[in-house]
Amino acid sequence: MTEALKQPRVYIFDTTLRDGEQSPGCSMTVPEKLRMAAKLVELGVDIMEAGFPIASDGDFEAVRRVSQEFHWVQVAALARATKNDVERAAAALEKAKRPRIHTFIATSDIHLQYKLKKSREQVLEDAVRAVELARKYVDDVEFSAEDATRTDIDYLEEISRAVVAAGARTVNLPDTVGFSVPEDYADRIGRIARALGDSAIVSVHCHDDLGLAVANSLAAVKAGARQIECTINGIGERAGNCSLEEVVMVMKTRNDFYPYETKIVSEHLFPASEMLSSIITFGPQPNKAIVGKNAFAHEAGIHQDGYLKNKSTYEIIDPKSVGVPEGKLVLGKHSGRHALKKRVEELGYPELTQEQLDAVYKCFTSAADNKKGFMNEEIIEFIEAALEGAAEKVS
Ligand code: KIV
Ligand code: ZN
């Protein structure tokens, strides 16, 4: 057995189709969810949360169709800790081969006082009752303590133990409002993971309000969590969820620090990101790690020079390993002759003379001051102009 196979397994729970989908500009129709689900299956996610069946008929239908069409994958349906919600989730998953009911209730005093207007005892009772009911329909039940990171830790432990005793196999401790920081989250997760031992998997679900969703998720895994809830491109409520592509690539690239195994096929990360962007109303920002348009672009002349001599000087991930067609060198006003020559060759003009290359470079630098960067088509125009100039000289 190789070292890698001995590494603890971390399950990737994708919630692009649920938490992601419920954020502005991200709603998806049932056929769109099915298309995205096919990509997520190809990517190798362990669990797909396909929707919140009580929320709408569309969500019900999405859970039903996704769980039937991808019957070999675990498919989760979200339900508040109420009878109606759990029964609706169970109905949507009725024909599923690997169904999971994911039931949740808020546990922080802030939510109890202002939102639920319930006591801790009442909430614990609701949670246990919902898990017991869900277990009547499916074996695989996940419980989430919403706003876990602002919940009294003794109460969080008490409710975690109670839902596991009631039959939950996974206990998720969401950083619902993105309030946590890595050290704090690791302490909290470590305490609950020790309390539950082997009786349940501890899961994490981080929002990115402080830009720490990925860091918090990784700290939690180090502290004993074995399921990460995340989304493609990090979409989700407000500032979004933990980005799937980032958290997975950290574990792969810095496996020395995070020696954990996932089943993600990283070559599908960029295609999954592209597909999501084509379905929802926006794509990742250009400088987004792993999948942004500039994630593998090197513009500064010094960087390009080093990169052309050896990619490892400025590239820590091979773009091909995440499915980006090729490392894109953005040609802009900081680019040097080396980079331009390389691009000219890549574009199929290896035979250009030094004089022609100089002509291309001249066109390029005089236009570059007013441009943010050149597309391949524009570079081709410069090349063609230089070639025409040479032809005119001969004729
Ligand atoms: O952020 C959150 O707390 C959630 C739960 C429903 C898991 O999305
Ligand atoms: Zn969430």
Side-chain angles (χ1 to χ4, degrees), residues 124-332:
L124 192 140
E125 214 176 280
D126 286 355
V128 166
R129 224 184 295 121
V131 170
E132 284 171 349
L133 178 61
R135 278 302 304 266
K136 293 204 165 100
Y137 296 101
V138 299
D139 288 337
D140 185 0
V141 174
E142 170 171 338
F143 172 76
S144 282
E146 191 190 6
D147 206 18
T149 51
R150 294 189 300 169
T151 297
D152 175 79
I153 187 70
D154 293 327
Y155 179 57
L156 192 61
E157 183 174 328
E158 188 188 351
I159 199 163
S160 300
R161 287 182 187 274
V163 292
V164 172
R169 283 184 178 173
T170 305
V171 175
N172 183 38
L173 304 173
D175 186 21
T176 304
V177 290
F179 173 71
S180 211
V181 296
E183 294 79 0
D184 181 20
Y185 201 42
D187 281 352
R188 202 161 268 266
I189 296 291
R191 163 125 177 222
I192 306 299
R194 283 190 298 279
L196 299 182
D198 290 336
S199 64
I201 285 186
V202 172
S203 166
V204 293
H205 175 115
C206 295
H207 282 269
D208 208 31
D209 300 67
L210 291 173
L212 289 171
V214 172
N216 285 339
S217 303
L218 291 166
V221 167
K222 280 220 152 190
R226 288 293 175 266
Q227 174 176 286
I228 300 176
E229 303 197 357
C230 46
T231 60
I232 301 293
N233 293 350
I235 64 167
E237 283 283 4
R238 303 181 311 281
N241 284 73
C242 171
S243 142
L244 185 154
E245 56 279 1
E246 291 178 24
V247 81
V248 164
M249 287 312 291
V250 175
M251 288 190 278
K252 195 168 170 182
T253 311
R254 294 310 307 270
N255 197 254
D256 50 340
F257 263 85
Y258 301 101
Y260 305 100
E261 193 204 343
T262 73
K263 286 278 177 268
I264 294 297
V265 183
S266 63
E267 286 76 8
H268 289 296
L269 288 170
F270 185 71
S273 163
E274 294 258 284
M275 174 169 289
L276 180 65
S277 306
S278 76
I279 292 173
I280 62 173
T281 58
F282 57 91
Q285 79 267 21
N287 61 335
K288 163 88 171 59
I290 317 297
V291 293
K293 172 162 113 2
N294 294 348
F296 298 97
H298 309 274
E299 173 161 345
I302 295 170
H303 287 214
Q304 290 189 343
D305 182 45
Y307 171 86
L308 292 172
K309 286 173 177 148
N310 189 311
K311 291 184 180 178
S312 68
T313 53
Y314 287 100
E315 215 158 72
I316 58 161
I317 296 169
D318 179 351
K320 286 204 256 356
S321 73
V322 293
V324 173
E326 63 182 39
K328 286 181 237 119
L329 284 167
V330 166
L331 291 183

Side-chain angles (χ1 to χ4, degrees), residues 20-53:
E21 197 261 352
Q22 74 192 43
S23 59
C26 296
S27 67
M28 296 179 215
T29 62
V30 174
E32 285 168 342
K33 280 199 182 185
L34 285 165
R35 196 146 60 89
M36 194 63 217
K39 202 70 189 163
L40 294 170
V41 170
E42 214 175 11
L43 180 62
V45 305
D46 296 292
I47 304 117
M48 281 191 288
E49 186 164 53
F52 188 9

